[in-house]
Amino acid sequence: MTIPKPRERALPHTTEIDLAYLNRINCNTEAQLQILTPLRPIRLKTRLIGIDPDNAIILALGQDKYWQAAQDYITQGQGVVVRLINSDDPEANILAFRSQIKTLLNNAGRWLVVNYLKELQSVALRQHCRIPVHLAASIHERQAEGHSTHVCSSGFLQDVSVKGGPT
């Protein structure tokens, strides 16, 4: 009797352009680490320390109560999903990949090193691209008879989108 092989899911093909984009992503980019446990995944907030192309992704080890509660699962070989959220980029993509914890470093800093990825998924964070601008803006206090001259807040708009508002 032969056992049928499980059907493999088709993963999106990772291109050299995708990897080049990942390899030049800024340090301190917001990241989420999802630890894959038998009962439920654990999500932790962190930031990117750096990338060693074709070798490793280095993330900051957190110290808050969520990281402390997950410390039993933060071990070498543990499966993880890493999501890098590059919200400063006008096209704002979330880059996601599966990996394993390679090692923990506590010498120069508190770092979590994961294996470099094999497949990368990229998902648009926003429906429309943000367009960089530099426009003066202010918020005025509204009174019953109309707008007052009292400025509550002022600053600059840094970017806008076609549809505007949060996405």
Side-chain angles (χ1 to χ4, degrees), residues 14-25 48 50-59 80 82 84 95-103 112-120:
T14 303
T15 67
E16 292 296 320
I17 294 170
D18 293 333
L19 294 178
Y21 179 76
L22 171 70
N23 290 337
R24 70 174 189 274
I25 201 164
L48 179 69
I51 297 175
D52 183 5
D54 299 322
N55 185 29
I57 309 289
I58 306 165
L59 303 169
V80 295
V82 177
L84 299 171
L95 304 175
F97 58 91
R98 288 182 181 264
S99 186
Q100 290 182 323
I101 296 175
K102 191 171 192 172
T103 191
L112 175 82
V113 181
V114 299
N115 291 321
Y116 196 80
L117 55 121
K118 293 178 181 144
E119 295 286 337
L120 178 68

Side-chain angles (χ1 to χ4, degrees), residues 62-138:
Q63 296 179 352
D64 64 20
K65 65 181 180 181
Y66 302 106
W67 279 86
Q68 290 173 7
Q71 72 183 15
D72 291 343
Y73 298 101
I74 303 172
T75 60
Q76 187 174 353
Q78 174 66 50
V80 295
V81 174
V82 177
R83 292 178 182 87
L84 299 171
I85 301 127
N86 194 8
S87 58
D88 291 337
D89 185 344
E91 294 184 18
N93 291 326
I94 298 175
L95 304 175
F97 58 91
R98 288 182 181 264
S99 186
Q100 290 182 323
I101 296 175
K102 191 171 192 172
T103 191
L104 303 170
L105 299 174
N106 287 307
N107 296 338
R110 293 184 33 83
W111 299 338
L112 175 82
V113 181
V114 299
N115 291 321
Y116 196 80
L117 55 121
K118 293 178 181 144
E119 295 286 337
L120 178 68
Q121 293 180 332
S122 179
V123 178
L125 181 62
R126 299 180 179 104
Q127 187 176 8
H128 301 283
C129 286
R130 307 291 292 177
I131 302 163
V133 297
H134 188 73
L135 300 172
S138 61

